[in-house]
Amino acid sequence: METMATVVRTKADYRSPNKPTWCPGCGDFAVLDALTRALASLNVDPAKLAVISGIGCSSRLPIFLNAYGFHSVHGRALPVATGVKLANPELTVLVVGGDGDGLAIGAGHTLHAARRNVDVTYIMMDNSIYGLTKGQASPTSQPLLKTGTTPFGNLDQPMNPVMLALAVGATFVARGFAARVEELAGLIQQGIEHRGFSFIHALSPCVTFNNTFKSLAERVTPLPADHDLTSRGAALQRAVEPGHLYLGVFYKVDKAGIYDRIQTITGGAEASRAELRRVMEQFA
Ligand SMILES: Cc1ncc(C[n+]2csc(CCOP(=O)(O)OP(=O)(O)O)c2C)c(N)n1
Ligand code: SF4
Ligand SMILES: [Mg+2]
């Protein structure tokens, strides 16, 4: 049996032979690199690792990893991941996908996986566009952005994924940026270590249809050192603070998840059955 001491891994050990098909310069390369760094730091056994995705450029990521993977249906990665984790709790389960995948067609699943506190790490690779389908507006596209579906400029307000995750009950919420790989790797590592639903908002620009590398680099700032990680109110305030796009861990608390609740119920049912058997034996 493998122990931490027996195998030492590097980030290369988590890469499959498949070469990424992303456009040169795509932010998703940096997310892949950060993820493999985090896995190597934690020395996760690839045989106990499952990475689930939806559909999109970002959702291709599991193909480039040495791990079990499931490239599912657009917007449906989280239900698949929930099933994988509940059936096989000893696996490390990661979910990757885009802003369209998790905030448009799959938005309902994002809310419910978070509120159930499913023990998976969800890395939302946000480029504020639909990359794979060649540049349509997404729920995080900036107002007035001209895209294939908004030729006169985007008329909608962007969603705030960090605020959303906090509001619906994620127990670990962080934001990182593809241009800061080491920092992003650290956030992913903490997310994997967290027991419960961890949400990592990874700003990962699409250089082909919405290249925001420069504008984001000018906006991002680290969360203040005195930020209280255990206060959801403080985290929400930081998430919506005007003029700030904070990077770092917004929130982290320990709470029972769906697996713990199932154990409690089934443990209770087993105790009732044992008591019933004891009573019935008196009449045997
Ligand atoms: C049910 C369904 N509806 C629509 C699509 C078409 N489609 C594929 S990917 C995608 C959006 C991709 O955007 P995002 O999730 O942000 O990923 P990105 O490519 O930007 O990484 C859409 C609309 C689909 N594959 N399946
Ligand atoms: S279209 Fe955009 S998101 Fe897709 S691979 Fe190219 S740069 Fe990346
Ligand atoms: Mg996208």
Side-chain angles (χ1 to χ4, degrees):
M1 195 181 135
E2 181 178 299
T3 63
M4 289 285 278
T6 53
V7 188
V8 176
R9 297 184 177 89
T10 67
K11 62 179 189 173
D13 293 312
Y14 296 94
R15 289 291 299 275
S16 73
N18 303 316
K19 281 217 162 76
T21 46
W22 295 315
C23 310
C26 176
D28 296 353
F29 282 101
V31 180
L32 175 63
D33 189 52
L35 174 55
T36 55
R37 285 186 199 209
L39 292 167
S41 301
L42 294 168
N43 202 14
V44 174
D45 179 357
K48 297 236 167 80
L49 174 63
V51 189
I52 319 297
S53 67
I55 298 291
C57 294
S58 42
S59 288
R60 299 182 70 81
L61 192 143
I63 300 164
F64 315 129
L65 284 178
N66 170 28
Y68 288 101
F70 196 121
H71 192 193
S72 74
V73 180
H74 192 34
R76 305 293 179 246
L78 281 163
V80 174
T82 301
V84 170
K85 183 67 187 182
L86 291 183
N88 238 329
E90 77 279 7
L91 295 183
T92 296
V93 180
L94 311 180
V95 182
V96 292
D99 40 310
D101 203 77
L103 295 173
I105 193 168
H109 296 305
T110 303
L111 313 187
H112 295 295
R115 104 185 149 84
R116 291 182 179 126
N117 199 19
V118 185
D119 186 15
V120 299
T121 299
Y122 181 21
I123 305 168
M124 179 179 284
M125 297 154 74
D126 185 0
N127 53 16
S128 299
I129 202 86
Y130 289 178
L132 187 75
T133 45
K134 300 194 182 297
Q136 298 80 21
S138 90
T140 57
S141 292
Q142 288 305 304
L144 303 181
L145 183 73
K146 287 192 176 160
T147 74
T149 44
T150 57
F152 304 107
N154 180 23
L155 300 176
D156 297 325
Q157 289 301 310
M159 286 170 88
N160 179 331
V162 166
M163 184 184 75
L164 180 82
L166 288 164
V168 294
T171 50
F172 178 98
V173 180
R175 181 188 284 128
F177 181 26
R180 301 194 183 185
V181 177
E182 214 170 303
E183 202 179 309
L184 180 59
L187 298 173
I188 296 173
Q189 182 178 334
Q190 290 179 67
I192 295 172
E193 284 175 310
H194 177 73
R195 196 163 181 277
F197 188 81
S198 45
F199 177 78
I200 294 154
H201 183 215
L203 302 168
S204 179
C206 165
V207 291
T208 302
F209 296 110
N210 188 26
N211 191 349
T212 52
F213 265 116
K214 194 163 173 288
S215 59
L216 286 173
E218 285 162 2
R219 289 177 60 209
V220 292
T221 45
L223 274 162
D226 64 353
H227 172 65
D228 179 2
L229 286 185
T230 62
S231 162
R232 190 151 70 138
L236 279 162
Q237 269 184 354
R238 295 297 183 193
V240 299
E241 202 172 310
H244 288 274
L245 185 64
Y246 285 118
L247 299 181
V249 181
F250 285 74
Y251 187 56
K252 175 174 167 45
V253 286
D254 288 323
K255 270 193 190 156
I258 186 167
Y259 185 72
D260 307 306
R261 292 192 291 275
I262 290 172
Q263 291 294 98
T264 308
I265 292 166
T266 52
E270 185 47 49
S272 308
R273 278 193 293 273
E275 176 63 8
L276 186 62
R277 270 196 302 274
R278 195 187 62 74
V279 171
M280 294 304 283
E281 275 163 16
Q282 293 175 9
F283 301 98

